[in-house]
Amino acid sequence: MLEAFEWYVPADRKHWQRLCSAVAGLKETGIDNIWIPPGCKAFNADGNGYDIYDLWDLGEFNQKGTRSTKWGNKEDLVLLIMRAEEVGIGVYWDAVLNHKAGADYTEKCLAVEVNPNDRTKEITKPRELESWLGFTFQGRGDTYSALKYRWYHFSGIDWDAANKRNAIFKIVENGKDWSRSVTNELGNYDYLMFADVDFTHPEVRNDVKMWGEWIVKGMNLSGIRLDAVKHYSEDFQREFIEHLHRTVGGRLFFVSEVRSPMEHKTSCRRRLSNRDNAVLERLAGGIDRLPQTNELQALPLRRTPRLQSFTDIKGQRWRPKEGLPQYVGQIPAEECRDFCDVSVSYHSRGSISLFHRNHDTQPRQSLEKPIDAFFKPLAYALILLRSEGYPCVFYGDLYGIKGPHPEEPSCRFKLPELCLARKLYAYGEQRDYFDSPHCIGWTRLGTWDRPYGLACLMSNGRPNGKRMYVGEARRGEVWTDVLGWEPRGVEIDTYGYGMFTCQGNWVAVYVNRRAEGRERFGKFDAHIYR
């Protein structure tokens, strides 16, 4: 899966067009599904869609000062999805259901201010609050949906318009309260931002379920990512998923974002607590009662015990030979541990979703994790070439990051090679060599229909080597590094072993030099903005 956007994609309304031109190349390099950004009309004309205004406007109506979304208009979106289907790529929609932003007028209702650190504690008596809670969707009118959102369709807001004051206010008129089926972080984690949608209201539940059915059928989606699921009703999420499975079929894939608690202005290195893990298990258990192909994704990155001995060390950044990246100094143990921790989720049927970074953890975002360039190919090799999990590649790593502090594509443009190595060779039995704090490796032995296999070796310090088994049937074969960093070939001995090596602070991926598909490497076009 490719997360097919990053936060600073240019707001030129051409993102759908660029992706449409790119999907054939993505498929060729091993991407089978793309997670596209929220394509519904945002409050800000250049917003990324998480400041959502209208679910039913996909860049079709003139609202909030624009017809198109930041990503493009609906016609371009339809062409992208049609082209993706032609080449065999599924499309996952990023569904932002928790809140609405950019109301069209203010309304008055009874509300109380709550303690921001414990939203179950009311710190004022109920009073009349005026805030932006009225949504008329004038540009769209009644097309697709006639529901106009009023104050009673929401449970909270963060702005007192009359007094021009920011705080968290819970709407209490007519007995309203926070959702009871959310996590108990900060007392009750129902409120996140903007106007918080109340999923106990039957009109809201019906409208959102209708929207889900409409967008899946109309856009021929393969899956949906549910944003910020810790902040709205778990009961409704289950109802929503069950409704879509009934109406559009069980083929639909769901992935749900669940962040662990942290203070956004402090280090993102905090681990999941026992309570967080209990929450994840509870949510996973809820999804487990639903039909198959539902995945639960957690943020931030979480420790993988099998890699702990490798990631806890303070390795020396070795200066590799000429032509390779140059790094000198100490690798902090905490830094290594954070960015090697790639197991980030639970799955209702036992698999996991793996990613290295995404739009929330990229530079200058809320969960930013600064990552040294040398470590990125190691992390991607871990999530792409092992048997566990469903890896997610980040657009910003594949194509680079725009904005005020741009970055080139990660892994010295070698990320497509790692994706292609997965597609062609990462099959069959996996043998692990996690016997050193400075160098780990594994082999994949192939299958009857994917016979070639691979050997992966990585070092977090000096150049290193390891004798690894690839199969007695391989004896006499010469294996070379598909990334091109290791010039020496490795001859497989009589017993099926090879002495594989890698440069310091780097990774090497060895495959039989005559394996089918070797000629496909080095052809990916990362210049998507040309």
Side-chain angles (χ1 to χ4, degrees):
M1 167 171 55
L2 170 72
E3 180 186 5
F5 65 102
E6 54 97 2
W7 201 258
Y8 300 105
V9 166
D12 57 5
R13 282 59 175 162
K14 295 182 179 179
H15 189 62
W16 298 148
Q17 295 177 18
R18 285 189 288 267
L19 286 179
C20 187
S21 299
V23 288
L26 291 171
K27 182 65 177 181
E28 184 68 15
T29 203
I31 301 298
D32 293 320
N33 295 282
I34 56 174
W35 152 22
I36 62 174
C40 302
K41 186 62 59 68
F43 165 42
N44 185 327
D46 294 338
N48 286 328
Y50 296 100
D51 55 336
I52 188 166
Y53 169 70
D54 187 0
L55 281 171
W56 298 88
D57 183 358
L58 307 182
E60 184 177 4
F61 304 99
N62 189 1
Q63 300 190 106
K64 296 302 169 184
T66 180
R67 180 174 181 269
S68 297
T69 67
K70 170 182 176 175
W71 316 108
N73 58 42
K74 184 177 180 180
E75 292 84 355
D76 289 339
L77 173 62
V78 170
L79 288 174
L80 162 62
I81 295 174
M82 290 175 60
R83 179 60 177 152
E85 184 179 9
E86 286 176 5
V87 302
I89 285 183
V91 176
Y92 300 162
W93 189 268
D94 199 336
V96 183
L97 306 180
N98 173 74
H99 53 266
K100 289 188 179 296
D104 300 301
Y105 63 95
T106 61
E107 288 200 311
K108 295 179 180 179
C109 59
L110 285 180
V112 295
E113 184 178 341
V114 299
N115 185 331
N117 297 315
D118 185 350
R119 282 81 179 277
T120 63
K121 294 183 179 178
E122 301 175 1
I123 58 178
T124 66
K125 293 182 178 180
R127 65 177 179 85
E128 187 177 74
L129 176 76
E130 181 180 357
S131 195
W132 293 92
L133 294 166
F135 291 76
T136 60
F137 312 116
Q138 290 183 352
R140 175 172 58 81
D142 292 342
T143 305
Y144 305 130
S145 169
L147 182 64
K148 314 302 177 187
Y149 278 66
R150 303 285 305 280
W151 67 265
Y152 45 80
H153 294 123
F154 301 99
S155 58
I157 192 71
D158 63 353
W159 183 248
D160 179 348
N163 297 305
K164 294 181 171 53
R165 181 169 172 269
N166 180 256
I168 298 178
F169 301 97
K170 180 176 69 174
I171 299 172
V172 296
E173 191 162 338
N174 296 339
K176 292 174 72 68
D177 200 349
W178 299 129
S179 171
R180 299 300 184 187
S181 61
V182 296
T183 66
N184 60 0
E185 217 170 304
L186 300 180
N188 180 290
Y189 221 23
D190 189 2
Y191 188 81
L192 175 61
M193 63 178 70
F194 301 118
D196 190 67
V197 175
D198 181 5
F199 285 98
T200 65
H201 199 292
E203 290 181 346
V204 170
R205 298 171 86 96
N206 184 61
D207 189 59
V208 175
K209 287 189 295 183
M210 285 175 53
W211 171 83
E213 183 178 349
W214 169 79
I215 196 167
V216 171
K217 289 180 178 179
M219 296 292 107
N220 196 26
L221 300 177
S222 298
I224 289 180
R225 174 191 182 261
L226 297 174
D227 181 65
V229 297
K230 289 174 73 174
H231 296 281
Y232 65 98
S233 169
E234 178 188 332
D235 293 337
F236 175 72
Q237 291 170 46
R238 187 177 300 111
E239 182 180 330
F240 179 74
I241 293 171
E242 289 175 340
H243 173 78
L244 292 186
H245 279 310
R246 286 195 306 269
T247 57
V248 303
R251 63 177 178 81
L252 205 61
F253 176 87
F254 288 88
V255 58
S256 303
E257 177 202 41
V258 184
R259 298 182 183 179
S260 79
M262 66 179 62
E263 297 179 11
H264 295 295
K265 294 183 180 179
T266 63
S267 169
C268 293
R269 292 179 173 140
R270 183 171 166 185
R271 293 291 177 270
L272 290 176
S273 66
N274 290 335
R275 187 179 74 169
D276 302 327
N277 281 319
V279 168
L280 292 176
E281 293 287 5
R282 179 172 63 86
L283 287 170
I287 288 185
D288 192 45
R289 295 191 291 273
L290 300 173
Q292 205 162 353
T293 70
N294 298 300
E295 185 159 333
L296 185 64
Q297 176 177 306
L299 289 174
L301 304 183
R302 186 172 66 86
R303 176 169 301 182
T304 304
R306 298 185 68 190
L307 301 176
Q308 184 171 341
S309 63
F310 176 70
T311 60
D312 278 351
I313 57 88
K314 287 190 176 181
Q316 183 73 24
R317 289 185 190 168
W318 183 254
R319 185 184 297 277
K321 65 183 181 180
E322 185 177 357
L324 293 178
Q326 305 294 300
Y327 302 100
V328 179
Q330 280 294 109
I331 306 173
E334 184 71 15
E335 176 184 310
C336 280
R337 183 165 54 242
D338 281 345
F339 305 123
C340 198
D341 294 347
V342 295
S343 174
V344 297
S345 68
Y346 296 85
H347 187 284
S348 61
R349 296 302 186 272
S351 66
I352 53 179
S353 173
L354 306 175
F355 67 89
H356 169 48
R357 63 175 180 168
N358 70 2
H359 67 278
D360 282 321
T361 64
Q362 74 175 90
R364 292 161 296 282
Q365 290 307 304
S366 59
L367 301 179
E368 177 183 358
K369 281 180 171 286
I371 302 173
D372 280 338
F374 89 92
F375 200 81
K376 293 175 184 178
L378 279 67
Y380 270 115
L382 283 162
I383 71 171
L384 287 168
L385 302 182
R386 295 183 56 75
S387 59
E388 304 90 356
Y390 178 21
C392 181
V393 174
F394 178 46
Y395 178 98
D397 288 325
L398 193 63
Y399 291 113
I401 291 174
K402 293 292 188 179
H405 303 281
E407 292 183 7
E408 285 193 337
S410 298
C411 311
R412 292 178 66 87
F413 292 85
K414 296 294 185 180
L415 181 52
E417 320 293 64
L418 289 168
C419 294
L420 185 56
R422 171 184 173 85
K423 177 182 178 71
L424 297 178
Y425 309 124
Y427 299 93
E429 179 186 344
Q430 179 172 284
R431 295 203 176 190
D432 291 334
Y433 296 83
F434 289 5
D435 51 0
S436 167
H438 299 284
C439 180
I440 63 173
W442 63 91
T443 61
R444 303 294 299 275
L445 303 188
T447 59
W448 68 269
D449 58 337
R450 303 276 188 169
Y452 294 104
L454 61 79
C456 182
L457 189 71
M458 61 179 65
S459 167
N460 58 17
R462 297 173 178 271
N464 221 317
K466 198 177 293 290
R467 187 170 181 261
M468 299 191 294
Y469 179 80
V470 296
E472 294 179 21
R474 311 292 183 199
R475 59 181 175 269
E477 293 181 356
V478 176
W479 287 36
T480 56
D481 178 18
V482 298
L483 302 180
W485 296 120
E486 281 294 316
R488 185 183 67 87
V490 175
E491 184 172 351
I492 309 304
D493 67 21
T494 303
Y495 302 101
Y497 285 84
M499 185 62 197
F500 299 96
T501 60
C502 68
Q503 297 297 316
N505 291 319
W506 207 243
V507 60
V509 181
Y510 289 87
V511 175
N512 183 346
R513 65 183 178 185
R514 293 190 173 89
E516 183 179 339
R518 288 295 299 256
E519 73 284 352
R520 294 169 58 179
F521 286 82
K523 297 183 178 180
F524 182 79
D525 183 5
H527 302 289
I528 196 169
Y529 293 106
R530 280 192 306 209

